[in-house]
Amino acid sequence: MRFVEVLQTCWLTTLFGALLCICGSILLVWNEGRAIRILLSLDEALSDAFTVRADSPYEKQYEGRLVHLNGPMITGEPLTEPDYNIQVQAVKLKRRVQMYQWVEETVENRFGESVATVETDERTYFYNREWRDELIDSRSFYIRHGHHNPTAFPLDSTVHTSEHVYVGPYELGDAAKNRFQNFQEVTSDTRPEDPSVKLHSGLYYHSNDIWNPEVGDIRIQFAYAGLEGSYVTVVGKLEQGRIVPYESTHARKVLLLELGEHNLHDIFRMEHHQQRLVTWGVRFVGWVMLFFSSICCATIMEHLVRQHRLLRIFSPDATFTVKNNVTFSLSVALVIVSIAWIVHRPWLGGGLLVAAMSPFLYCARGVMGNYQRVD
């Protein structure tokens, strides 16, 4: 059977597999390039960083340099929500607003008695009322009568950020303050002055009856991040008394911030660990794409192996089972990774390349041994 004839029988799956292979390869190449730039940038930053003390006066000789410091945070004016008697000394105060709205759900039912019967589609629509963060447009509902939502939120969700945050004499820049994303709920027993606002379990309800809310009622939850007095460790460039991201020579910005007290090497070790988790996660996604690509292209690859003696040396059984697909996709992924690393870490890249080729070299060794015994 000729190649063109085989391709005609499986061109769609082969095309899809080829696209998966291209996308997976591009993803792996991008990920390895990103990982290498981050590694080199962190190494450069570690070698350039100086440790300064938060309990000492401002040291101007480190202006424009990369500094590492730890200490308790000091915020300026408290963040407030006066309508709800909320006042927090923190880096951020988040206001989350939810509205009670109609929500449409659909269930699609398919009915068909035989191949000759025309299959019809019917949908069942259900309408429930739920608390939602986003506005639901009821104008798109299938049944609009009796299911009307407000056209806008009376109050928006927002995040208030403290204007000035200091660690000792050094101020955190906007990028550093944005790193505070671990919010904790504000718990307060102080009720708002407005009697129409009801407080229950940390939520502020604009509702006549919190147990039987009506469409259009809202409830508000407050949370803070970066409480004043918390110890933080930060690494960044000192610029006019503020800690800002450090631009490395590898076009990557370095700004590290962790809660607690950590020495210079520990905080870089933590950042390396986090970046490794991200890198391996993307590697897994890229390998999965290559694995499904090999499954989609199995028919055409089996044909090529059967038709070419050189390919049969590296794949003697000429069948792409799940085991063979796993081996093949892993080898391709390792080749891509090794090429990216071989310039910066020759021993690592070379080892990965040998590992990628080892299954095929093992098969070739066995086949060549059989040929020699036959001769």
Side-chain angles (χ1 to χ4, degrees):
M1 198 171 184
R2 293 182 301 172
F3 174 79
V4 176
E5 295 174 347
V6 175
L7 184 60
Q8 288 176 346
T9 62
C10 59
W11 69 270
L12 184 59
T13 56
T14 303
L15 178 62
F16 183 68
L19 291 176
L20 279 178
C21 182
I22 294 173
C23 293
S25 300
I26 292 175
L27 180 64
L28 287 174
V29 170
W30 169 83
N31 183 53
E32 298 309 315
R34 182 195 65 87
I36 291 172
R37 288 193 297 272
I38 290 176
L39 174 65
L40 296 176
S41 298
L42 290 177
D43 289 346
E44 175 187 331
L46 178 60
S47 63
D48 292 344
F50 294 89
T51 299
V52 297
R53 295 178 58 88
D55 55 358
S56 298
Y58 181 79
E59 302 183 50
K60 293 185 178 180
Q61 67 266 29
Y62 294 119
E63 183 71 25
R65 307 296 296 271
L66 186 70
V67 297
H68 155 261
L69 75 152
N70 53 53
M73 290 187 299
I74 303 172
T75 59
E77 294 293 327
L79 302 174
T80 63
E81 283 280 353
D83 293 337
Y84 304 93
N85 285 330
I86 298 294
Q87 182 172 305
V88 180
Q89 291 280 166
V91 178
K92 288 183 177 181
L93 175 63
K94 180 169 68 174
R95 181 179 68 200
R96 179 188 180 189
V97 182
Q98 293 181 310
M99 181 188 289
Y100 202 61
Q101 304 176 72
W102 285 106
V103 178
E104 181 183 72
E105 297 179 359
T106 61
V107 176
E108 188 171 335
N109 303 314
R110 293 181 177 270
F111 303 95
E113 297 179 355
S114 64
V115 177
T117 302
V118 177
E119 192 176 78
T120 61
D121 294 343
E122 292 187 2
R123 292 183 178 180
T124 304
Y125 294 86
F126 299 93
Y127 294 88
N128 301 313
R129 291 176 295 178
E130 300 177 3
W131 293 102
R132 291 296 183 93
D133 294 88
E134 301 293 335
L135 185 66
I136 299 177
D137 188 1
S138 58
R139 294 173 297 180
S140 61
F141 287 173
Y142 183 76
I143 303 175
R144 293 187 292 274
H145 180 70
H147 306 114
H148 298 287
N149 288 329
T151 57
F153 270 69
L155 194 64
D156 295 329
S157 297
T158 186
V159 177
H160 302 289
T161 303
S162 183
E163 185 176 359
H164 299 289
V165 179
Y166 292 91
V167 179
Y170 306 97
E171 183 179 359
L172 299 184
D174 293 337
K177 290 186 287 187
N178 288 336
R179 294 295 183 92
F180 292 91
Q181 298 295 334
N182 187 19
F183 287 90
Q184 297 182 3
E185 182 181 345
V186 174
T187 56
S188 174
D189 295 330
T190 305
R191 296 184 177 275
E193 297 179 0
D194 188 351
S196 64
V197 181
K198 299 174 175 61
L199 175 62
H200 177 70
S201 299
L203 295 171
Y204 297 81
Y205 290 83
H206 288 255
S207 175
N208 292 326
D209 186 353
I210 63 175
W211 307 111
N212 297 289
E214 299 177 357
V215 172
D217 290 349
I218 63 172
R219 67 182 185 183
I220 305 170
Q221 183 182 43
F222 295 99
Y224 66 88
L227 190 64
E228 183 180 54
S230 301
Y231 269 73
V232 295
T233 300
V234 60
V235 176
K237 180 182 177 182
L238 183 60
E239 188 175 274
Q240 297 180 356
R242 306 181 73 195
I243 306 297
V244 299
Y246 168 80
E247 185 77 28
S248 73
T249 58
H250 304 281
R252 300 291 299 189
K253 293 183 177 180
V254 177
L255 178 65
L256 311 183
L257 189 146
E258 295 288 342
L259 293 177
E261 294 186 72
H262 308 283
N263 62 41
L264 181 61
H265 291 277
D266 284 343
I267 191 171
F268 274 92
R269 190 179 301 112
M270 295 168 66
E271 182 66 17
H272 276 292
H273 176 70
Q274 294 176 3
Q275 293 298 333
R276 278 197 296 268
L277 292 179
V278 175
T279 301
W280 278 103
V282 178
R283 283 172 181 166
F284 177 76
V285 174
W287 169 76
V288 170
M289 296 175 71
L290 294 178
F291 172 70
F292 284 105
S293 171
S294 63
I295 293 177
C296 294
C297 299
T299 302
I300 198 70
M301 288 192 296
E302 288 177 1
H303 175 77
L304 292 174
V305 170
R306 292 192 184 99
Q307 295 297 319
H308 296 82
R309 180 177 178 181
L310 179 61
L311 295 179
R312 286 200 302 274
I313 294 177
F314 299 101
S315 182
D317 54 0
T319 58
F320 281 79
T321 61
V322 174
K323 178 181 177 181
N324 290 343
N325 286 328
V326 170
T327 302
F328 179 76
S329 58
L330 278 175
S331 296
V332 174
L334 284 175
V335 168
I336 296 173
V337 172
S338 65
I339 292 175
W341 282 94
I342 202 165
V343 175
H344 302 282
R345 296 287 190 276
W347 288 104
L348 176 61
L352 291 175
L353 187 61
V354 172
M357 299 301 298
S358 58
F360 304 99
L361 295 176
Y362 179 80
C363 292
R365 175 178 174 275
V367 171
M368 296 304 295
N370 292 334
Y371 286 160
Q372 291 176 357
R373 285 193 293 271
V374 171
D375 294 340

